[in-house]
Amino acid sequence: MNYPLLFKPLQIRNLCIPNRTVMPPMSTQLGTPSGEVSDAQIAFYQARAAGGTGMIIVEFCCVNQSSGQSEPNQLALESDTHIHGHKRLVNAIKSEGSVACLQLQHGGAAAKRSLLKTPTTIGPSNIFSRKAPNQLICKGMSHTEIEAMIECFGHSAELGIKAGYQAVELHGAHGYLLTQFMSPRSNKRDDVWGGNETGRLEFPRRVIHRVRQAIGNRPLIYRLSADEFCEGGLTIEDMERICPMLVDAGIDAIHVSTGVGPESFDKVLDPMSAPDGWRLPYSRRIRQVCNVPIITVGQIRHPDTAEQALRDGDADLIALGRTLLADPEWSNKARAGNADAIIPCTSCNFCVANGFAENSIRCANNPATGRELDGEIPQLMAPARAIVLGSGPAGITAALSLAAAGAHTSLLECQNQLGGGLIVSAAPPFKDKLERYRQYLIRQLQASTVNVELGANTSEQDIAARQPDIVVFATGSRSRPHNFNGLDIHNSCDAFDLLNTLPSHPLPAPDAGPILVLGGGETGCETCEALIAQGYKVILSSRSPARQLARSAEMIYRNDLLQRLLASPQLELICNSELDNVHGGIAQLRASDEVLNRAISYCVLAQGRDREHRLHDALSTPSTGSNFECALIGDAHT
């Protein structure tokens, strides 16, 4: 066995978990509006159980929808009407040899107000609107309401046991109700439910006692934020004191996360730039003060990282999170010694952005995620010759899918390397996870029957001469023409071309002077950071105000990118500006009514790109007489 610790069973109370891998709770938006389990949800979890995951902690289940629902389609477990779907879900998980764990949650002040039946959210203390200081947006709970809420947790736990769950987890992390009572930043009470650390722990302690009464000798897990990473919040030093108290109250295992939303959301859901296993020191510190198993989570992508964490004593169980969205077969592949075949999670947070848009769970690297009911790729009814133009992620995935469907497939790439736009996306600092994904796709091609041609001729005549039945155009995007006076191929380039050839692109030496980057979008900002990493001083000229820099980037990554970039002393930012001309190494910029002259050594254009679909249009029109099916995908389509 390649990973002996990772696939060693672990006993928690009366329950044996077959290995050390855990699927942490992640919202899927696959449930029904009334909070019931759907067929799609069952198929989603069953795929992860069949993939060899030791324990599945089902996504957060609200104990009181009327006051605590946090998302549309969030699961609930309040009455017998909810039990049937949960029974089916539990049976599906257990049938694959995995352990089924229920997570109980109440949103408190973080509940979604538009979904509630109460006038405001509820929590430990009153919260008033910042914009309208007299407007109450969260009502502090009365003693009677707190006692009733404790009973809600207990009742849902009882229903969970009826449904067959083998363990229960309490969601005491990320700023939900249990966290709100525990944290001094949100609990301002001066009665038995607050006032000091003992008082702030009273509500979580009472919930633990009631849920223990409901579940008997089954394991009870507590998920918490080891550090809230916000002013006035709980720190790791606080949690080193608190966690042993939770264990004394009846907790059998602790699930260590970090952060609260929205103040430190990048510590709840990591951006791409977060290093692998960065939370491990936090779980290690909690493990050192508690005598119960510790689950760690966050940015654990490779089995080597997981095995090392177990070996080093950082944790007892490894929660894989978005890793299992990318590849439900992660555990099976690791156990078989086939880690190179694991679909890597790039932390692109497409899954998160989809959830914010209130869509069901999806993964940019695994189109089957959330669509498990669709089944396998169907086989073609007759032999077919397929050509895919372009080797970006869309092109490679299309070629692999066509080959899997039985087509004789050729992948044509005009460059001398595979990856297309993925090479560019992986070039800026802190985006190495995208290069891992590119290497994975290349390995998949090498193991497939796809015929790969680099430096290929992709003219209309060449395509027609191959007599294909199917042509897929994954031709990406092209540079926009510019009309700036004084710029030519000797003193400028397109940002896409620069990132595509770093670090070998022929740039002037860093001491020759600053480089001007035109365009404050995501590509422009990333180009600045890449140049800064190469030792250059950079002038970023954006037609938009500073608040709109990189505005199309994924939210969590954008915040992290801008925080790093704007803190760099090597950057000069000139917003609301346009380039007039470049003459004699001087760039003339217009910023409002002011003319600014800046000495520069080079200019990089990040003015956006256009879809490259000209070849598709030429070959798909009826007048060409083409007798093959055409499809336009990826950046060429969107």
Side-chain angles (χ1 to χ4, degrees), residues 281-299:
Y282 292 89
S283 60
R284 183 184 185 89
R285 287 178 67 169
I286 299 300
R287 189 172 186 264
Q288 288 172 341
V289 298
C290 293
N291 60 351
V292 297
I294 300 298
I295 307 171
T296 193
V297 71
Q299 293 292 82

Side-chain angles (χ1 to χ4, degrees), residues 148-391:
M149 187 59 64
I150 293 168
E151 182 57 30
C152 286
F153 275 93
H155 180 60
S156 292
E158 289 169 350
L159 295 175
I161 299 308
K162 286 184 181 179
Y165 283 103
Q166 298 157 281
V168 171
E169 178 174 275
L170 298 175
H171 198 340
H174 305 160
Y176 294 123
L177 186 63
L178 283 163
T179 320
Q180 291 160 25
F181 269 91
M182 187 186 293
S183 176
R185 63 183 282 274
S186 48
N187 187 341
K188 307 299 183 182
R189 304 176 74 102
D190 57 6
D191 60 3
V192 68
W193 308 104
N196 53 35
E197 190 167 85
T198 301
R200 290 193 297 270
L201 282 172
E202 185 62 18
F203 177 67
R205 191 174 4 242
R206 288 283 306 283
V207 170
I208 291 168
H209 290 165
R210 178 64 182 89
V211 172
R212 168 61 65 204
Q213 180 186 24
I215 69 173
N217 198 37
R218 297 170 183 84
L220 179 56
I221 305 167
Y222 200 97
R223 193 176 205 200
L224 51 79
S225 293
D227 197 312
E228 293 191 307
F229 289 102
C230 62
E231 186 177 354
L234 293 165
T235 66
I236 181 61
E237 289 78 17
D238 295 325
M239 299 311 294
E240 286 175 316
R241 292 192 313 273
I242 288 171
C243 284
M245 300 182 203
L246 297 176
V247 173
D248 289 343
I251 291 299
D252 300 305
I254 293 176
H255 190 169
V256 178
S257 185
T258 53
V260 293
E263 292 88 341
S264 55
F265 197 63
D266 62 325
K267 298 298 190 292
V268 177
L269 285 163
D270 326 78
M272 191 178 294
S273 54
D276 289 356
W278 73 269
R279 286 187 183 88
L280 291 175
Y282 292 89
S283 60
R284 183 184 185 89
R285 287 178 67 169
I286 299 300
R287 189 172 186 264
Q288 288 172 341
V289 298
C290 293
N291 60 351
V292 297
I294 300 298
I295 307 171
T296 193
V297 71
Q299 293 292 82
I300 296 175
R301 305 297 184 227
H302 197 278
D304 288 354
T305 308
E307 182 76 9
Q308 189 65 45
L310 296 172
R311 185 180 300 116
D312 291 345
D314 294 323
D316 302 281
L317 292 149
I318 307 294
L320 296 169
R322 289 168 291 174
T323 301
L324 288 176
L325 300 183
D327 197 337
E329 290 285 328
W330 191 96
S331 295
N332 284 345
K333 290 176 180 178
R335 185 191 289 268
N338 199 16
D340 281 351
I342 293 173
I343 305 172
C345 172
T346 59
S347 300
C348 70
N349 284 333
F350 177 78
C351 52
V352 180
N354 223 45
F356 285 150
E358 299 185 358
N359 297 320
S360 56
I361 194 75
R362 293 290 184 267
C363 175
N365 297 352
N366 184 354
T369 294
R371 298 186 177 99
E372 285 76 14
L373 290 177
D374 293 349
E376 300 293 327
I377 298 172
Q379 292 295 298
L380 295 171
M381 299 301 293
R385 291 185 300 277
I387 292 175
V388 178
L389 302 174
S391 70

